[in-house]
PDB file of all heavy atoms in Angstrom:
ATOM      1  N   GLU J 118      51.068  82.769 138.931  1.00  0.00           N
ATOM      2  CA  GLU J 118      50.377  83.272 140.118  1.00  0.00           C
ATOM      3  C   GLU J 118      51.140  82.989 141.407  1.00  0.00           C
ATOM      4  O   GLU J 118      50.878  83.620 142.431  1.00  0.00           O
ATOM      5  CB  GLU J 118      48.978  82.646 140.216  1.00  0.00           C
ATOM      6  CG  GLU J 118      48.031  83.009 139.090  1.00  0.00           C
ATOM      7  CD  GLU J 118      48.284  82.181 137.838  1.00  0.00           C
ATOM      8  OE1 GLU J 118      49.139  81.263 137.903  1.00  0.00           O
ATOM      9  OE2 GLU J 118      47.646  82.460 136.806  1.00  0.00           O
ATOM     10  N   MET J 119      52.074  82.048 141.378  1.00  0.00           N
ATOM     11  CA  MET J 119      52.759  81.622 142.603  1.00  0.00           C
ATOM     12  C   MET J 119      54.212  82.071 142.667  1.00  0.00           C
ATOM     13  O   MET J 119      54.969  81.587 143.505  1.00  0.00           O
ATOM     14  CB  MET J 119      52.700  80.091 142.700  1.00  0.00           C
ATOM     15  CG  MET J 119      51.304  79.515 142.705  1.00  0.00           C
ATOM     16  SD  MET J 119      50.418  79.825 144.240  1.00  0.00           S
ATOM     17  CE  MET J 119      51.241  78.668 145.314  1.00  0.00           C
ATOM     18  N   ARG J 120      54.624  82.972 141.795  1.00  0.00           N
ATOM     19  CA  ARG J 120      56.028  83.383 141.750  1.00  0.00           C
ATOM     20  C   ARG J 120      56.315  84.446 142.807  1.00  0.00           C
ATOM     21  O   ARG J 120      56.492  85.632 142.513  1.00  0.00           O
ATOM     22  CB  ARG J 120      56.394  83.882 140.351  1.00  0.00           C
ATOM     23  CG  ARG J 120      56.387  82.781 139.299  1.00  0.00           C
ATOM     24  CD  ARG J 120      56.641  83.316 137.913  1.00  0.00           C
ATOM     25  NE  ARG J 120      56.505  82.259 136.909  1.00  0.00           N
ATOM     26  CZ  ARG J 120      56.530  82.468 135.602  1.00  0.00           C
ATOM     27  NH1 ARG J 120      56.696  83.707 135.121  1.00  0.00           N
ATOM     28  NH2 ARG J 120      56.377  81.456 134.754  1.00  0.00           N
ATOM     29  N   TRP J 121      56.356  84.016 144.042  1.00  0.00           N
ATOM     30  CA  TRP J 121      56.720  84.847 145.176  1.00  0.00           C
ATOM     31  C   TRP J 121      58.100  84.412 145.670  1.00  0.00           C
ATOM     32  O   TRP J 121      58.508  83.273 145.473  1.00  0.00           O
ATOM     33  CB  TRP J 121      55.708  84.701 146.302  1.00  0.00           C
ATOM     34  CG  TRP J 121      54.310  85.101 145.948  1.00  0.00           C
ATOM     35  CD1 TRP J 121      53.365  84.325 145.328  1.00  0.00           C
ATOM     36  CD2 TRP J 121      53.696  86.363 146.183  1.00  0.00           C
ATOM     37  NE1 TRP J 121      52.208  85.017 145.170  1.00  0.00           N
ATOM     38  CE2 TRP J 121      52.370  86.284 145.691  1.00  0.00           C
ATOM     39  CE3 TRP J 121      54.127  87.547 146.774  1.00  0.00           C
ATOM     40  CZ2 TRP J 121      51.488  87.340 145.764  1.00  0.00           C
ATOM     41  CZ3 TRP J 121      53.243  88.604 146.852  1.00  0.00           C
ATOM     42  CH2 TRP J 121      51.955  88.510 146.354  1.00  0.00           C
ATOM     43  N   PRO J 122      58.846  85.312 146.326  1.00  0.00           N
ATOM     44  CA  PRO J 122      60.167  84.923 146.843  1.00  0.00           C
ATOM     45  C   PRO J 122      60.138  83.689 147.730  1.00  0.00           C
ATOM     46  O   PRO J 122      60.993  82.801 147.607  1.00  0.00           O
ATOM     47  CB  PRO J 122      60.607  86.176 147.621  1.00  0.00           C
ATOM     48  CG  PRO J 122      59.938  87.304 146.917  1.00  0.00           C
ATOM     49  CD  PRO J 122      58.601  86.757 146.496  1.00  0.00           C
ATOM     50  N   THR J 123      59.138  83.609 148.620  1.00  0.00           N
ATOM     51  CA  THR J 123      59.043  82.440 149.493  1.00  0.00           C
ATOM     52  C   THR J 123      58.836  81.167 148.697  1.00  0.00           C
ATOM     53  O   THR J 123      59.419  80.116 148.997  1.00  0.00           O
ATOM     54  CB  THR J 123      57.886  82.617 150.491  1.00  0.00           C
ATOM     55  OG1 THR J 123      58.080  83.811 151.239  1.00  0.00           O
ATOM     56  CG2 THR J 123      57.809  81.443 151.447  1.00  0.00           C
ATOM     57  N   ASN J 124      58.025  81.254 147.655  1.00  0.00           N
ATOM     58  CA  ASN J 124      57.749  80.073 146.851  1.00  0.00           C
ATOM     59  C   ASN J 124      58.946  79.650 146.007  1.00  0.00           C
ATOM     60  O   ASN J 124      59.066  78.481 145.630  1.00  0.00           O
ATOM     61  CB  ASN J 124      56.534  80.310 145.962  1.00  0.00           C
ATOM     62  CG  ASN J 124      55.255  80.436 146.770  1.00  0.00           C
ATOM     63  OD1 ASN J 124      55.208  80.037 147.925  1.00  0.00           O
ATOM     64  ND2 ASN J 124      54.227  81.006 146.170  1.00  0.00           N
ATOM     65  N   PHE J 125      59.835  80.589 145.670  1.00  0.00           N
ATOM     66  CA  PHE J 125      61.077  80.222 144.990  1.00  0.00           C
ATOM     67  C   PHE J 125      61.925  79.329 145.898  1.00  0.00           C
ATOM     68  O   PHE J 125      62.561  78.375 145.435  1.00  0.00           O
ATOM     69  CB  PHE J 125      61.865  81.472 144.602  1.00  0.00           C
ATOM     70  CG  PHE J 125      61.267  82.235 143.454  1.00  0.00           C
ATOM     71  CD1 PHE J 125      61.225  83.614 143.459  1.00  0.00           C
ATOM     72  CD2 PHE J 125      60.732  81.578 142.362  1.00  0.00           C
ATOM     73  CE1 PHE J 125      60.665  84.322 142.412  1.00  0.00           C
ATOM     74  CE2 PHE J 125      60.167  82.267 141.302  1.00  0.00           C
ATOM     75  CZ  PHE J 125      60.135  83.643 141.324  1.00  0.00           C
ATOM     76  N   ILE J 126      61.954  79.660 147.191  1.00  0.00           N
ATOM     77  CA  ILE J 126      62.697  78.829 148.138  1.00  0.00           C
ATOM     78  C   ILE J 126      62.064  77.448 148.242  1.00  0.00           C
ATOM     79  O   ILE J 126      62.755  76.423 148.277  1.00  0.00           O
ATOM     80  CB  ILE J 126      62.759  79.500 149.515  1.00  0.00           C
ATOM     81  CG1 ILE J 126      63.407  80.892 149.418  1.00  0.00           C
ATOM     82  CG2 ILE J 126      63.541  78.631 150.507  1.00  0.00           C
ATOM     83  CD1 ILE J 126      63.423  81.654 150.719  1.00  0.00           C
ATOM     84  N   LEU J 127      60.731  77.409 148.269  1.00  0.00           N
ATOM     85  CA  LEU J 127      60.038  76.123 148.314  1.00  0.00           C
ATOM     86  C   LEU J 127      60.321  75.301 147.056  1.00  0.00           C
ATOM     87  O   LEU J 127      60.422  74.071 147.123  1.00  0.00           O
ATOM     88  CB  LEU J 127      58.536  76.351 148.465  1.00  0.00           C
ATOM     89  CG  LEU J 127      58.063  76.898 149.813  1.00  0.00           C
ATOM     90  CD1 LEU J 127      56.563  77.138 149.778  1.00  0.00           C
ATOM     91  CD2 LEU J 127      58.414  75.954 150.935  1.00  0.00           C
ATOM     92  N   THR J 128      60.456  75.977 145.919  1.00  0.00           N
ATOM     93  CA  THR J 128      60.793  75.271 144.676  1.00  0.00           C
ATOM     94  C   THR J 128      62.191  74.666 144.763  1.00  0.00           C
ATOM     95  O   THR J 128      62.415  73.508 144.381  1.00  0.00           O
ATOM     96  CB  THR J 128      60.698  76.217 143.480  1.00  0.00           C
ATOM     97  OG1 THR J 128      59.386  76.789 143.416  1.00  0.00           O
ATOM     98  CG2 THR J 128      60.986  75.484 142.181  1.00  0.00           C
ATOM     99  N   GLY J 129      63.154  75.468 145.255  1.00  0.00           N
ATOM    100  CA  GLY J 129      64.502  74.937 145.441  1.00  0.00           C
ATOM    101  C   GLY J 129      64.524  73.770 146.408  1.00  0.00           C
ATOM    102  O   GLY J 129      65.267  72.790 146.219  1.00  0.00           O
ATOM    103  N   LEU J 130      63.701  73.843 147.447  1.00  0.00           N
ATOM    104  CA  LEU J 130      63.587  72.748 148.416  1.00  0.00           C
ATOM    105  C   LEU J 130      63.014  71.495 147.761  1.00  0.00           C
ATOM    106  O   LEU J 130      63.486  70.377 147.995  1.00  0.00           O
ATOM    107  CB  LEU J 130      62.706  73.197 149.581  1.00  0.00           C
ATOM    108  CG  LEU J 130      62.446  72.202 150.706  1.00  0.00           C
ATOM    109  CD1 LEU J 130      63.744  71.854 151.417  1.00  0.00           C
ATOM    110  CD2 LEU J 130      61.436  72.781 151.695  1.00  0.00           C
ATOM    111  N   ALA J 131      62.000  71.676 146.923  1.00  0.00           N
ATOM    112  CA  ALA J 131      61.385  70.535 146.235  1.00  0.00           C
ATOM    113  C   ALA J 131      62.365  69.880 145.265  1.00  0.00           C
ATOM    114  O   ALA J 131      62.385  68.645 145.137  1.00  0.00           O
ATOM    115  CB  ALA J 131      60.127  70.988 145.490  1.00  0.00           C
ATOM    116  N   VAL J 132      63.186  70.683 144.590  1.00  0.00           N
ATOM    117  CA  VAL J 132      64.173  70.121 143.658  1.00  0.00           C
ATOM    118  C   VAL J 132      65.196  69.273 144.414  1.00  0.00           C
ATOM    119  O   VAL J 132      65.538  68.155 143.989  1.00  0.00           O
ATOM    120  CB  VAL J 132      64.876  71.248 142.875  1.00  0.00           C
ATOM    121  CG1 VAL J 132      66.054  70.701 142.077  1.00  0.00           C
ATOM    122  CG2 VAL J 132      63.891  71.940 141.941  1.00  0.00           C
ATOM    123  N   ALA J 133      65.690  69.774 145.540  1.00  0.00           N
ATOM    124  CA  ALA J 133      66.668  69.022 146.329  1.00  0.00           C
ATOM    125  C   ALA J 133      66.067  67.717 146.847  1.00  0.00           C
ATOM    126  O   ALA J 133      66.697  66.649 146.770  1.00  0.00           O
ATOM    127  CB  ALA J 133      67.174  69.875 147.493  1.00  0.00           C
ATOM    128  N   ASP J 134      64.851  67.783 147.390  1.00  0.00           N
ATOM    129  CA  ASP J 134      64.192  66.571 147.886  1.00  0.00           C
ATOM    130  C   ASP J 134      63.940  65.576 146.758  1.00  0.00           C
ATOM    131  O   ASP J 134      64.077  64.354 146.942  1.00  0.00           O
ATOM    132  CB  ASP J 134      62.878  66.921 148.572  1.00  0.00           C
ATOM    133  CG  ASP J 134      63.082  67.655 149.891  1.00  0.00           C
ATOM    134  OD1 ASP J 134      64.189  67.543 150.457  1.00  0.00           O
ATOM    135  OD2 ASP J 134      62.147  68.338 150.345  1.00  0.00           O
ATOM    136  N   LEU J 135      63.556  66.084 145.589  1.00  0.00           N
ATOM    137  CA  LEU J 135      63.300  65.209 144.443  1.00  0.00           C
ATOM    138  C   LEU J 135      64.562  64.457 144.029  1.00  0.00           C
ATOM    139  O   LEU J 135      64.529  63.241 143.778  1.00  0.00           O
ATOM    140  CB  LEU J 135      62.771  66.045 143.279  1.00  0.00           C
ATOM    141  CG  LEU J 135      62.586  65.310 141.944  1.00  0.00           C
ATOM    142  CD1 LEU J 135      61.541  64.208 142.079  1.00  0.00           C
ATOM    143  CD2 LEU J 135      62.185  66.307 140.848  1.00  0.00           C
ATOM    144  N   LEU J 136      65.692  65.152 143.971  1.00  0.00           N
ATOM    145  CA  LEU J 136      66.941  64.503 143.574  1.00  0.00           C
ATOM    146  C   LEU J 136      67.366  63.438 144.582  1.00  0.00           C
ATOM    147  O   LEU J 136      67.876  62.380 144.203  1.00  0.00           O
ATOM    148  CB  LEU J 136      68.038  65.563 143.415  1.00  0.00           C
ATOM    149  CG  LEU J 136      67.863  66.526 142.240  1.00  0.00           C
ATOM    150  CD1 LEU J 136      68.937  67.595 142.260  1.00  0.00           C
ATOM    151  CD2 LEU J 136      67.889  65.768 140.908  1.00  0.00           C
ATOM    152  N   VAL J 137      67.163  63.728 145.875  1.00  0.00           N
ATOM    153  CA  VAL J 137      67.506  62.740 146.909  1.00  0.00           C
ATOM    154  C   VAL J 137      66.709  61.460 146.715  1.00  0.00           C
ATOM    155  O   VAL J 137      67.266  60.339 146.758  1.00  0.00           O
ATOM    156  CB  VAL J 137      67.259  63.326 148.312  1.00  0.00           C
ATOM    157  CG1 VAL J 137      67.357  62.234 149.376  1.00  0.00           C
ATOM    158  CG2 VAL J 137      68.281  64.414 148.619  1.00  0.00           C
ATOM    159  N   MET J 138      65.410  61.584 146.467  1.00  0.00           N
ATOM    160  CA  MET J 138      64.568  60.394 146.361  1.00  0.00           C
ATOM    161  C   MET J 138      64.764  59.657 145.044  1.00  0.00           C
ATOM    162  O   MET J 138      64.710  58.423 144.996  1.00  0.00           O
ATOM    163  CB  MET J 138      63.108  60.785 146.562  1.00  0.00           C
ATOM    164  CG  MET J 138      62.789  61.069 148.027  1.00  0.00           C
ATOM    165  SD  MET J 138      61.085  61.514 148.345  1.00  0.00           S
ATOM    166  CE  MET J 138      61.097  63.191 147.726  1.00  0.00           C
ATOM    167  N   LEU J 139      65.006  60.388 143.957  1.00  0.00           N
ATOM    168  CA  LEU J 139      65.274  59.722 142.684  1.00  0.00           C
ATOM    169  C   LEU J 139      66.553  58.893 142.757  1.00  0.00           C
ATOM    170  O   LEU J 139      66.631  57.804 142.168  1.00  0.00           O
ATOM    171  CB  LEU J 139      65.376  60.759 141.568  1.00  0.00           C
ATOM    172  CG  LEU J 139      64.072  61.421 141.122  1.00  0.00           C
ATOM    173  CD1 LEU J 139      64.348  62.464 140.051  1.00  0.00           C
ATOM    174  CD2 LEU J 139      63.074  60.384 140.599  1.00  0.00           C
ATOM    175  N   GLU J 140      67.560  59.389 143.468  1.00  0.00           N
ATOM    176  CA  GLU J 140      68.802  58.645 143.600  1.00  0.00           C
ATOM    177  C   GLU J 140      68.654  57.465 144.559  1.00  0.00           C
ATOM    178  O   GLU J 140      69.327  56.440 144.398  1.00  0.00           O
ATOM    179  CB  GLU J 140      69.919  59.582 144.084  1.00  0.00           C
ATOM    180  CG  GLU J 140      71.311  58.990 144.051  1.00  0.00           C
ATOM    181  CD  GLU J 140      71.664  58.165 145.273  1.00  0.00           C
ATOM    182  OE1 GLU J 140      71.054  58.423 146.347  1.00  0.00           O
ATOM    183  OE2 GLU J 140      72.521  57.272 145.166  1.00  0.00           O
ATOM    184  N   TYR J 141      67.766  57.602 145.552  1.00  0.00           N
ATOM    185  CA  TYR J 141      67.619  56.541 146.548  1.00  0.00           C
ATOM    186  C   TYR J 141      66.933  55.306 145.972  1.00  0.00           C
ATOM    187  O   TYR J 141      67.130  54.198 146.481  1.00  0.00           O
ATOM    188  CB  TYR J 141      66.835  57.053 147.756  1.00  0.00           C
ATOM    189  CG  TYR J 141      67.067  56.247 149.011  1.00  0.00           C
ATOM    190  CD1 TYR J 141      68.073  56.618 149.902  1.00  0.00           C
ATOM    191  CD2 TYR J 141      66.315  55.120 149.308  1.00  0.00           C
ATOM    192  CE1 TYR J 141      68.306  55.883 151.058  1.00  0.00           C
ATOM    193  CE2 TYR J 141      66.540  54.386 150.463  1.00  0.00           C
ATOM    194  CZ  TYR J 141      67.539  54.769 151.325  1.00  0.00           C
ATOM    195  OH  TYR J 141      67.768  54.035 152.469  1.00  0.00           O
ATOM    196  N   ILE J 142      66.145  55.454 144.915  1.00  0.00           N
ATOM    197  CA  ILE J 142      65.450  54.306 144.336  1.00  0.00           C
ATOM    198  C   ILE J 142      66.437  53.269 143.791  1.00  0.00           C
ATOM    199  O   ILE J 142      66.360  52.091 144.154  1.00  0.00           O
ATOM    200  CB  ILE J 142      64.449  54.767 143.252  1.00  0.00           C
ATOM    201  CG1 ILE J 142      63.314  55.578 143.903  1.00  0.00           C
ATOM    202  CG2 ILE J 142      63.874  53.568 142.500  1.00  0.00           C
ATOM    203  CD1 ILE J 142      62.345  56.177 142.902  1.00  0.00           C
ATOM    204  N   PRO J 143      67.396  53.655 142.912  1.00  0.00           N
ATOM    205  CA  PRO J 143      68.387  52.636 142.489  1.00  0.00           C
ATOM    206  C   PRO J 143      69.261  52.151 143.635  1.00  0.00           C
ATOM    207  O   PRO J 143      69.678  50.982 143.646  1.00  0.00           O
ATOM    208  CB  PRO J 143      69.217  53.362 141.421  1.00  0.00           C
ATOM    209  CG  PRO J 143      68.992  54.809 141.666  1.00  0.00           C
ATOM    210  CD  PRO J 143      67.600  54.924 142.199  1.00  0.00           C
ATOM    211  N   PHE J 144      69.547  53.023 144.607  1.00  0.00           N
ATOM    212  CA  PHE J 144      70.316  52.571 145.764  1.00  0.00           C
ATOM    213  C   PHE J 144      69.568  51.497 146.536  1.00  0.00           C
ATOM    214  O   PHE J 144      70.170  50.512 146.993  1.00  0.00           O
ATOM    215  CB  PHE J 144      70.615  53.756 146.685  1.00  0.00           C
ATOM    216  CG  PHE J 144      71.110  53.352 148.048  1.00  0.00           C
ATOM    217  CD1 PHE J 144      72.412  52.904 148.223  1.00  0.00           C
ATOM    218  CD2 PHE J 144      70.270  53.402 149.157  1.00  0.00           C
ATOM    219  CE1 PHE J 144      72.873  52.511 149.468  1.00  0.00           C
ATOM    220  CE2 PHE J 144      70.722  53.018 150.404  1.00  0.00           C
ATOM    221  CZ  PHE J 144      72.026  52.573 150.564  1.00  0.00           C
ATOM    222  N   SER J 145      68.255  51.660 146.667  1.00  0.00           N
ATOM    223  CA  SER J 145      67.468  50.667 147.392  1.00  0.00           C
ATOM    224  C   SER J 145      67.507  49.316 146.680  1.00  0.00           C
ATOM    225  O   SER J 145      67.665  48.269 147.323  1.00  0.00           O
ATOM    226  CB  SER J 145      66.020  51.147 147.536  1.00  0.00           C
ATOM    227  OG  SER J 145      65.230  50.202 148.220  1.00  0.00           O
ATOM    228  N   PHE J 146      67.377  49.324 145.349  1.00  0.00           N
ATOM    229  CA  PHE J 146      67.458  48.063 144.610  1.00  0.00           C
ATOM    230  C   PHE J 146      68.862  47.475 144.701  1.00  0.00           C
ATOM    231  O   PHE J 146      69.032  46.258 144.777  1.00  0.00           O
ATOM    232  CB  PHE J 146      67.077  48.292 143.147  1.00  0.00           C
ATOM    233  CG  PHE J 146      65.598  48.373 142.921  1.00  0.00           C
ATOM    234  CD1 PHE J 146      64.965  49.595 142.799  1.00  0.00           C
ATOM    235  CD2 PHE J 146      64.828  47.215 142.849  1.00  0.00           C
ATOM    236  CE1 PHE J 146      63.594  49.678 142.604  1.00  0.00           C
ATOM    237  CE2 PHE J 146      63.460  47.287 142.652  1.00  0.00           C
ATOM    238  CZ  PHE J 146      62.840  48.515 142.525  1.00  0.00           C
ATOM    239  N   HIS J 147      69.864  48.322 144.704  1.00  0.00           N
ATOM    240  CA  HIS J 147      71.247  47.865 144.784  1.00  0.00           C
ATOM    241  C   HIS J 147      71.559  47.234 146.143  1.00  0.00           C
ATOM    242  O   HIS J 147      72.255  46.225 146.218  1.00  0.00           O
ATOM    243  CB  HIS J 147      72.180  49.059 144.548  1.00  0.00           C
ATOM    244  CG  HIS J 147      73.635  48.739 144.720  1.00  0.00           C
ATOM    245  ND1 HIS J 147      74.392  48.163 143.719  1.00  0.00           N
ATOM    246  CD2 HIS J 147      74.477  48.907 145.769  1.00  0.00           C
ATOM    247  CE1 HIS J 147      75.636  47.997 144.155  1.00  0.00           C
ATOM    248  NE2 HIS J 147      75.712  48.446 145.395  1.00  0.00           N
ATOM    249  N   ARG J 148      71.010  47.810 147.202  1.00  0.00           N
ATOM    250  CA  ARG J 148      71.379  47.411 148.561  1.00  0.00           C
ATOM    251  C   ARG J 148      70.438  46.371 149.161  1.00  0.00           C
ATOM    252  O   ARG J 148      70.882  45.452 149.857  1.00  0.00           O
ATOM    253  CB  ARG J 148      71.407  48.651 149.457  1.00  0.00           C
ATOM    254  CG  ARG J 148      71.828  48.397 150.903  1.00  0.00           C
ATOM    255  CD  ARG J 148      73.308  48.146 151.023  1.00  0.00           C
ATOM    256  NE  ARG J 148      73.709  47.877 152.392  1.00  0.00           N
ATOM    257  CZ  ARG J 148      74.068  48.806 153.271  1.00  0.00           C
ATOM    258  NH1 ARG J 148      74.077  50.077 152.919  1.00  0.00           N
ATOM    259  NH2 ARG J 148      74.447  48.468 154.489  1.00  0.00           N
ATOM    260  N   TYR J 149      69.149  46.468 148.882  1.00  0.00           N
ATOM    261  CA  TYR J 149      68.187  45.670 149.636  1.00  0.00           C
ATOM    262  C   TYR J 149      67.439  44.637 148.803  1.00  0.00           C
ATOM    263  O   TYR J 149      66.727  43.808 149.358  1.00  0.00           O
ATOM    264  CB  TYR J 149      67.169  46.589 150.318  1.00  0.00           C
ATOM    265  CG  TYR J 149      67.806  47.607 151.212  1.00  0.00           C
ATOM    266  CD1 TYR J 149      67.949  48.930 150.809  1.00  0.00           C
ATOM    267  CD2 TYR J 149      68.302  47.249 152.459  1.00  0.00           C
ATOM    268  CE1 TYR J 149      68.548  49.870 151.639  1.00  0.00           C
ATOM    269  CE2 TYR J 149      68.906  48.183 153.287  1.00  0.00           C
ATOM    270  CZ  TYR J 149      69.023  49.494 152.863  1.00  0.00           C
ATOM    271  OH  TYR J 149      69.623  50.412 153.681  1.00  0.00           O
ATOM    272  N   HIS J 150      67.545  44.703 147.478  1.00  0.00           N
ATOM    273  CA  HIS J 150      66.846  43.741 146.638  1.00  0.00           C
ATOM    274  C   HIS J 150      67.857  42.779 145.997  1.00  0.00           C
ATOM    275  O   HIS J 150      69.058  42.895 146.209  1.00  0.00           O
ATOM    276  CB  HIS J 150      66.014  44.461 145.570  1.00  0.00           C
ATOM    277  CG  HIS J 150      64.967  45.348 146.153  1.00  0.00           C
ATOM    278  ND1 HIS J 150      63.689  44.935 146.442  1.00  0.00           N
ATOM    279  CD2 HIS J 150      65.020  46.652 146.549  1.00  0.00           C
ATOM    280  CE1 HIS J 150      63.001  45.929 146.971  1.00  0.00           C
ATOM    281  NE2 HIS J 150      63.783  46.984 147.045  1.00  0.00           N
ATOM    282  N   ASN J 151      67.344  41.853 145.196  1.00  0.00           N
ATOM    283  CA  ASN J 151      68.192  40.826 144.584  1.00  0.00           C
ATOM    284  C   ASN J 151      69.003  40.102 145.664  1.00  0.00           C
ATOM    285  O   ASN J 151      70.235  40.046 145.628  1.00  0.00           O
ATOM    286  CB  ASN J 151      69.127  41.464 143.551  1.00  0.00           C
ATOM    287  CG  ASN J 151      69.739  40.430 142.633  1.00  0.00           C
ATOM    288  OD1 ASN J 151      69.301  39.293 142.592  1.00  0.00           O
ATOM    289  ND2 ASN J 151      70.766  40.841 141.892  1.00  0.00           N
TER     290      ASN J 151
END
Side-chain angles (χ1 to χ4, degrees):
E118 296 80 5
M119 302 288 286
R120 292 175 185 172
W121 299 84
T123 303
N124 292 342
F125 287 139
I126 302 176
L127 290 177
T128 303
L130 180 64
V132 171
D134 290 339
L135 174 63
L136 292 175
V137 169
M138 285 181 285
L139 288 178
E140 189 276 335
Y141 202 92
I142 293 175
F144 166 76
S145 179
F146 281 99
H147 175 83
R148 182 74 181 271
Y149 303 102
H150 299 270
N151 196 13

